[in-house]
Amino acid sequence: ISGATVVVALTCTSGTTNSPQNASRTTPAVFTVTGATPGATCTATETVPVGYTANQANCVSVALGGTCTIINTQNGNTITVNKSFSPISGATVVVALTCTSGTVTATPLNASMAAPAVFTVTGATPGATTCTATETAVPVGYTANQANCVAVALDGSCTITNVLTPVLPPLTATPVPTLSQWAVILLTLLLALTGFASMRRRNS
């Protein structure tokens, strides 16, 4: 139920009318037709509010002095968010949905590989509305790829994929010799070279 006011126009097969008129659930549009030929009929058409579909069939070819009703039904669309894990996991995650127009009737929702999150969006602008799904808390140890769930069209679907993050072994630091240690190493090399040279002279 809505308290919105809409604009209704009336056209008749003859005569003139005070068209258009406003109409709401509490205040109908009452038209006056003057100069009509007996047996004339009239048709009412509404400027349909965004996010609604109008059933106006009851207001076609209405006899003079008659009444009719236009029924507006709020558009309902769905967005399905699938869940994928690599490697496979039975975990359940929480997914939220936001849309550029309309109302998401329930968000966030749970999603798993066995049961996707199916959101209902009401009152959205057809052909212009897109929705984006985000995983509110990525499981520890996983990285979520959510690019597929950005700007999804109404009645569309997407998949959020969680990939297990590899655990790398801790890095082991290689000790670097100090200046004093370098000095000992150089002295040892010099002594070794000197001894080697002396042995060669004695053997000559």
Side-chain angles (χ1 to χ4, degrees):
I1 294 174
S2 171
T5 296
V6 299
V7 177
V8 180
L10 188 75
T11 57
C12 299
T13 54
S14 68
T16 58
T17 71
N18 56 337
S19 175
Q21 295 285 325
N22 290 334
S24 69
R25 289 179 61 88
T26 57
T27 307
V30 179
F31 296 92
T32 301
V33 182
T34 58
T37 304
T41 61
C42 299
T43 296
T45 55
E46 174 190 305
T47 301
V48 185
V50 172
Y52 285 83
T53 298
N55 182 348
Q56 308 186 65
N58 184 242
C59 287
V60 175
S61 298
V62 181
L64 295 175
T67 63
C68 68
T69 302
I70 296 174
I71 299 174
N72 285 4
T73 302
Q74 193 172 42
N75 297 332
N77 303 90
T78 61
I79 297 287
T80 301
V81 180
N82 300 292
K83 194 76 204 79
S84 178
F85 283 91
S86 179
I88 293 173
S89 169
T92 296
V93 298
V94 178
V95 179
L97 187 77
T98 58
C99 298
T100 54
S101 74
T103 302
V104 183
T105 57
T107 184
L109 295 176
N110 291 335
S112 67
M113 291 191 65
V118 181
F119 296 90
T120 299
V121 183
T122 59
T125 305
T129 300
T130 60
C131 301
T132 296
T134 53
E135 193 170 307
T136 60
V138 181
V140 175
Y142 284 84
T143 300
N145 182 348
Q146 308 188 63
N148 183 240
C149 286
V150 175
V152 181
L154 294 175
D155 296 319
S157 64
C158 67
T159 302
I160 296 176
T161 302
N162 285 9
V163 178
L164 188 65
T165 304
V167 179
L168 300 176
L171 295 175
T172 303
T174 303
V176 178
T178 63
L179 289 175
S180 58
Q181 289 173 328
W182 280 116
V184 172
I185 292 170
L186 289 173
L187 179 60
T188 303
L189 288 173
L190 286 172
L191 290 173
L193 289 172
T194 302
F196 179 73
S198 299
M199 290 178 63
R200 289 196 61 183
R201 281 197 300 270
R202 283 198 298 270
N203 291 334
S204 297

